[in-house]
Amino acid sequence: MKIAVLPGDGIGTEIVAEAIKVLKALDLRFEMETALVGGAAYDAHGHPLPESTLKLAMQSDAVLFGAVGDWKYDSLDRPLRPEQAILGLRKNMGLFANFRPAICYHELVNASSLKPELIAGLDILIIRELTGDIYFGQPRGRRVSPDGAFAGAEEAFDTMRYTRPEVERIARVAFEAARKRHKRVTSVDKANVLETFQFWKDIVTEVHKDYPDVALDHMYVDNAAMQLVKEPKRFDVVVTGNMFGDILSDEASMLTGSIGMLPSASLNASRQGLYEPSHGSAPDIAGKGIANPLATILSAAMMLRFSLDQEAAAQRIEAAVKKVLAQGLRTADIFSEGTQRISTSQMGDAVVKAL
Ligand code: IPM
Ligand code: MG
């Protein structure tokens, strides 16, 4: 089992270190190799996704990823910005299916900004298409000013685009996932305005014919954004495009109390996967030892389940996280009256002890 470890920037290094601690505490053998990615790779090699890092990722069974990005790179040309590393990994590895579960642990029901009764028992799975849509549309660009400068551009454009096979395969992933859950899929689109999403809706409806045991409904993205905070428990599996999935998964994360709790898995057709917390690099809190490593630790559990075929180990990690929460141990983001506030590394240690 070969794991490429790409901690990245900001809190990425701190949280990945805790996930590694947990993986090493299992009685399993892994080959782990670490490489630079994002701003850290740009600083060292002049590129956010060096050839050697991409090669390591492609040759591994799974990638454990931290986070990338920092404001200090905002002025770089787009292809050199840290975010391009994760987009490049997704595209090159064909990681089209992004699983972002939003589960509310009952111990954290008071950590959410929503009323406890709205979110108690919440268990939603957002499935975000990850290699198409406006993120990868062509053409894209800015119409430069007569003197050739971008700064003076008069127009900018990104094109939204999906192909039939791209929509079909993500629809199948969603229906298959729903079969193992409560058998309900909500497909989120903007078919009332965008051609791309009328196309999306039509194809999802077609694919649904192969899954008569699963209920399908369609929802416009603006309504979905509202329903997620109004009545989140109405959802089971939500399937949507790259851009809407990016936005809705951040929204859904706060239903669970903290974005610091949300793991994610990005899979390709051969189950090779990249595992990362749903949150970003949070440069404002980097190095302070206050980041929540649980999203990354839970991502490592997803890695064991989906790419390394170690279901039992995945469940052990998930049970250990529940135990630590039940013990009242909390990082700052999920701290509330009556619980014990601990640091990033203390949280990793607590999970290891619970294991
Ligand atoms: C995410 C992030 C990324 C995205 C960024 C860092 C490129 O927000 O994984 O949700 O937009 O997909
Ligand atoms: Mg995002």
Coordinates of all heavy atoms in Angstrom, one line a residue, residues 251-293:
E251 N -21.1 25.1 2.6 CA -22.3 25.4 3.4 C -22.7 24.2 4.3 O -23.0 24.4 5.4 CB -23.5 25.8 2.4 CG -24.7 26.3 3.2 CD -25.9 26.5 2.3 OE1 -25.9 26.2 1.1 OE2 -27.0 26.9 2.9
A252 N -22.7 23.1 3.7 CA -23.2 21.9 4.4 C -22.2 21.6 5.6 O -22.6 21.1 6.6 CB -23.2 20.7 3.5
S253 N -21.0 22.0 5.4 CA -20.0 21.7 6.5 C -20.4 22.4 7.8 O -20.1 21.8 8.9 CB -18.6 22.1 6.0 OG -18.5 23.5 6.0
M254 N -20.9 23.6 7.6 CA -21.2 24.3 8.9 C -22.4 23.7 9.6 O -22.7 24.0 10.8 CB -21.4 25.8 8.6 CG -20.1 26.6 8.5 SD -18.9 26.2 9.8 CE -19.7 26.8 11.3
L255 N -23.2 22.9 8.9 CA -24.3 22.2 9.6 C -23.8 21.3 10.6 O -24.4 21.0 11.6 CB -25.2 21.4 8.6 CG -25.7 22.2 7.4 CD1 -26.4 21.2 6.4 CD2 -26.7 23.2 7.8
T256 N -22.6 20.8 10.4 CA -22.0 19.8 11.3 C -21.3 20.4 12.5 O -20.8 19.7 13.3 CB -21.0 18.9 10.5 OG1 -19.8 19.8 10.3 CG2 -21.5 18.4 9.2
G257 N -21.2 21.7 12.5 CA -20.6 22.3 13.7 C -19.3 23.1 13.2 O -19.1 24.2 13.6
S258 N -18.5 22.4 12.5 CA -17.3 23.0 12.0 C -16.8 22.4 10.7 O -16.8 21.2 10.5 CB -16.2 22.9 13.1 OG -14.9 23.3 12.5
I259 N -16.3 23.2 9.9 CA -15.7 22.7 8.6 C -14.4 21.9 9.0 O -14.0 21.1 8.2 CB -15.4 23.9 7.6 CG1 -15.1 23.3 6.2 CG2 -14.2 24.7 8.1 CD1 -15.1 24.4 5.1
G260 N -13.9 22.0 10.2 CA -12.8 21.3 10.6 C -13.1 19.8 10.9 O -12.2 19.0 11.2
M261 N -14.3 19.4 10.7 CA -14.7 18.0 10.9 C -14.9 17.2 9.6 O -15.2 16.0 9.6 CB -16.1 18.0 11.7 CG -16.0 18.5 13.1 SD -14.9 17.5 14.1 CE -15.7 15.9 14.0
L262 N -14.9 18.0 8.5 CA -15.3 17.3 7.2 C -14.3 16.7 6.4 O -13.4 17.4 5.8 CB -16.1 18.3 6.4 CG -17.6 18.0 6.4 CD1 -18.2 18.5 7.6 CD2 -18.2 18.6 5.2
P263 N -14.3 15.4 6.2 CA -13.3 14.7 5.3 C -13.8 14.8 3.9 O -14.9 15.1 3.6 CB -13.3 13.3 5.9 CG -14.7 13.1 6.3 CD -15.2 14.4 6.8
S264 N -12.9 14.4 3.0 CA -13.4 14.2 1.6 C -12.5 13.2 0.9 O -11.4 12.9 1.2 CB -13.5 15.5 0.8 OG -12.2 15.8 0.3
A265 N -13.1 12.5 -0.1 CA -12.4 11.6 -1.0 C -12.7 12.0 -2.4 O -13.8 12.3 -2.8 CB -13.0 10.2 -0.7
S266 N -11.7 11.9 -3.2 CA -11.8 12.2 -4.7 C -11.3 10.9 -5.4 O -10.1 10.6 -5.3 CB -11.0 13.4 -5.1 OG -11.4 14.5 -4.3
L267 N -12.2 10.3 -6.1 CA -11.8 9.0 -6.7 C -11.9 9.0 -8.2 O -12.6 9.7 -8.8 CB -12.8 7.9 -6.2 CG -12.9 7.7 -4.7 CD1 -14.0 6.7 -4.4 CD2 -11.6 7.1 -4.2
N268 N -11.0 8.2 -8.8 CA -11.1 7.9 -10.2 C -11.7 6.6 -10.5 O -12.2 5.9 -9.6 CB -9.7 8.1 -10.9 CG -8.7 7.1 -10.5 OD1 -9.1 6.0 -10.0 ND2 -7.4 7.4 -10.8
A269 N -11.7 6.2 -11.8 CA -12.5 5.0 -12.2 C -11.8 3.7 -11.6 O -12.5 2.7 -11.5 CB -12.6 4.9 -13.7
S270 N -10.5 3.8 -11.3 CA -9.9 2.6 -10.8 C -9.7 2.7 -9.2 O -8.8 2.0 -8.7 CB -8.5 2.4 -11.5 OG -7.8 3.5 -11.5
R271 N -10.5 3.6 -8.6 CA -10.5 3.7 -7.2 C -9.2 4.2 -6.5 O -9.0 4.1 -5.3 CB -10.9 2.3 -6.5 CG -12.3 1.9 -6.9 CD -13.2 1.8 -5.7 NE -14.4 2.5 -5.9 CZ -15.3 2.8 -4.9 NH1 -15.0 2.6 -3.7 NH2 -16.4 3.4 -5.2
Q272 N -8.4 4.7 -7.4 CA -7.2 5.4 -6.9 C -7.8 6.7 -6.3 O -8.7 7.3 -6.9 CB -6.2 5.7 -8.0 CG -4.9 6.2 -7.6 CD -4.1 6.6 -8.8 OE1 -4.6 6.9 -9.9 NE2 -2.8 6.6 -8.7
G273 N -7.3 7.2 -5.2 CA -8.0 8.4 -4.7 C -7.1 9.4 -4.0 O -5.9 9.1 -3.6
L274 N -7.6 10.6 -3.9 CA -6.9 11.7 -3.2 C -7.9 12.0 -2.0 O -9.1 12.2 -2.2 CB -6.7 12.9 -4.1 CG -6.0 14.0 -3.5 CD1 -5.1 14.7 -4.5 CD2 -6.9 15.1 -2.9
Y275 N -7.3 12.1 -0.8 CA -8.0 12.3 0.4 C -7.6 13.6 1.1 O -6.4 13.7 1.4 CB -7.9 11.1 1.3 CG -8.4 9.8 0.6 CD1 -7.6 9.2 -0.3 CD2 -9.7 9.4 0.7 CE1 -8.1 8.1 -1.1 CE2 -10.2 8.4 0.0 CZ -9.4 7.7 -0.9 OH -9.9 6.7 -1.6
E276 N -8.5 14.4 1.4 CA -8.1 15.7 2.0 C -9.3 16.2 2.8 O -10.5 15.9 2.6 CB -7.8 16.7 0.8 CG -9.0 16.9 -0.1 CD -8.8 18.0 -1.2 OE1 -8.1 19.0 -0.9 OE2 -9.3 17.9 -2.3
P277 N -9.0 17.1 3.8 CA -10.1 17.7 4.5 C -10.8 18.6 3.5 O -10.2 19.1 2.6 CB -9.4 18.5 5.6 CG -8.0 18.8 5.0 CD -7.7 17.5 4.2
S278 N -12.1 18.9 3.8 CA -12.9 19.8 2.9 C -12.4 21.3 3.1 O -12.7 22.1 2.2 CB -14.4 19.7 3.2 OG -14.9 18.6 2.6
H279 N -11.8 21.5 4.2 CA -11.4 22.9 4.4 C -10.1 23.3 3.8 O -9.4 22.4 3.2 CB -11.3 23.2 6.0 CG -10.3 22.3 6.6 ND1 -8.9 22.5 6.5 CD2 -10.4 21.3 7.5 CE1 -8.2 21.7 7.2 NE2 -9.1 20.9 7.8
G280 N -9.7 24.6 3.8 CA -8.5 25.0 3.2 C -7.3 25.2 4.1 O -7.3 24.5 5.2
S281 N -6.4 26.0 3.7 CA -5.1 26.0 4.3 C -5.1 27.0 5.5 O -4.1 27.0 6.3 CB -4.0 26.5 3.3 OG -4.4 27.7 2.7
A282 N -6.1 27.8 5.7 CA -6.3 28.7 6.8 C -5.0 29.3 7.3 O -4.6 29.2 8.4 CB -6.9 27.9 8.0
P283 N -4.4 30.1 6.4 CA -3.1 30.7 6.8 C -3.2 31.6 8.0 O -2.2 31.7 8.8 CB -2.7 31.5 5.6 CG -3.8 31.5 4.6 CD -4.7 30.4 5.0
D284 N -4.3 32.1 8.3 CA -4.5 33.0 9.5 C -4.3 32.2 10.8 O -3.9 32.8 11.8 CB -5.9 33.6 9.5 CG -7.0 32.6 9.4 OD1 -6.8 31.6 8.7 OD2 -8.1 32.9 9.9
I285 N -4.5 30.9 10.9 CA -4.2 30.2 12.1 C -3.1 29.2 12.0 O -2.8 28.4 12.9 CB -5.5 29.4 12.6 CG1 -6.0 28.4 11.6 CG2 -6.6 30.4 12.9 CD1 -6.9 27.3 12.2
A286 N -2.3 29.2 10.9 CA -1.2 28.3 10.7 C -0.2 28.5 11.7 O 0.1 29.6 12.1 CB -0.6 28.5 9.3
G287 N 0.4 27.4 12.2 CA 1.5 27.5 13.1 C 1.1 27.7 14.6 O 2.0 27.8 15.5
K288 N -0.1 27.9 14.8 CA -0.6 28.2 16.2 C -1.0 27.0 17.0 O -1.3 27.1 18.2 CB -1.7 29.2 16.2 CG -1.4 30.5 15.5 CD -2.5 31.5 15.7 CE -2.1 32.9 15.1 NZ -3.3 33.7 14.8
G289 N -1.0 25.8 16.3 CA -1.4 24.6 17.0 C -2.8 24.5 17.4 O -3.2 23.8 18.4
I290 N -3.7 25.3 16.7 CA -5.1 25.3 17.1 C -6.0 24.7 16.0 O -7.2 24.5 16.2 CB -5.6 26.7 17.4 CG1 -5.5 27.7 16.2 CG2 -4.9 27.3 18.6 CD1 -6.1 29.0 16.5
A291 N -5.4 24.3 14.9 CA -6.3 23.7 13.8 C -6.8 22.3 14.2 O -6.2 21.6 15.0 CB -5.4 23.5 12.6
N292 N -8.0 22.0 13.7 CA -8.6 20.7 14.0 C -8.1 19.7 13.0 O -8.4 19.8 11.8 CB -10.2 20.9 13.9 CG -10.9 19.7 14.3 OD1 -10.4 18.6 14.5 ND2 -12.2 19.9 14.5
P293 N -7.5 18.6 13.5 CA -7.0 17.6 12.6 C -8.0 16.5 12.2 O -7.7 15.6 11.5 CB -5.8 17.0 13.3 CG -6.2 17.1 14.8 CD -7.1 18.4 14.9

